[in-house]
Amino acid sequence: MSDAYYEFGTAAERWERALFFFEAKEYTTAARILTGLVDEVPEQVAPRLLLARAYYHSARLVRAETELRAVLERDPVEEYARLMLGRTLERQGRQAEADTHLRMAAALAGDFPSKGDA
């Protein structure tokens, strides 16, 4: 497939195409489409989160981590990005660092340990 396919259409059309490929578990193709969208609208969280998920599912964990950190730089209380970053770090064998993000994600979700669990 030529690069023109990944860049063809409006941002909305490329978003729909990326979703289609992501849902079909064609994560590499989804990531190629999403990369252009993220470059075009870096302030939008949804394309960057989906790009991070595509990288995660295709085992490109360093790239997933980079995208998740970019999301959290813009929105430090983005619960799902915290959870994903924790899971991404776990898969890289960085458990201590992962635990910090997983605890933050739980707190943002309102999952506080009960008195007996603390």
Side-chain angles (χ1 to χ4, degrees):
M1 226 177 281
S2 75
D3 286 342
Y5 177 78
Y6 302 106
E7 300 166 3
F8 178 75
T10 66
E13 290 167 338
R14 285 179 284 143
W15 171 251
E16 289 298 320
R17 194 176 319 123
L19 284 172
F20 171 81
F21 281 108
F22 185 88
E23 290 169 1
K25 298 184 180 183
E26 295 287 338
Y27 303 118
T28 302
T29 304
R32 286 192 68 185
I33 296 166
L34 289 163
T35 298
L37 275 176
V38 166
D39 290 343
E40 190 176 314
V41 288
E43 70 283 354
Q44 290 188 6
V45 171
R48 195 174 294 272
L49 269 178
L50 191 61
L51 177 58
R53 290 177 64 198
Y55 284 150
Y56 178 87
H57 287 300
S58 59
R60 295 186 284 177
L61 301 176
V62 172
R63 288 183 179 186
E65 179 184 351
T66 299
E67 295 304 327
L68 292 164
R69 290 189 186 279
V71 168
L72 292 170
E73 186 175 301
R74 286 177 168 74
D75 186 359
V77 295
E78 169 54 57
E79 171 193 341
Y80 189 68
R82 286 274 173 211
L83 176 63
M84 274 194 65
L85 181 56
R87 297 291 181 229
T88 300
L89 294 168
E90 279 182 328
R91 282 184 69 186
Q92 293 179 64
R94 296 161 58 190
Q95 192 62 51
E97 194 177 351
D99 288 343
T100 299
H101 292 285
L102 294 173
R103 279 192 303 274
M104 289 174 72
L108 289 167
D111 295 336
F112 298 104
S114 62
K115 273 189 163 182
D117 294 340

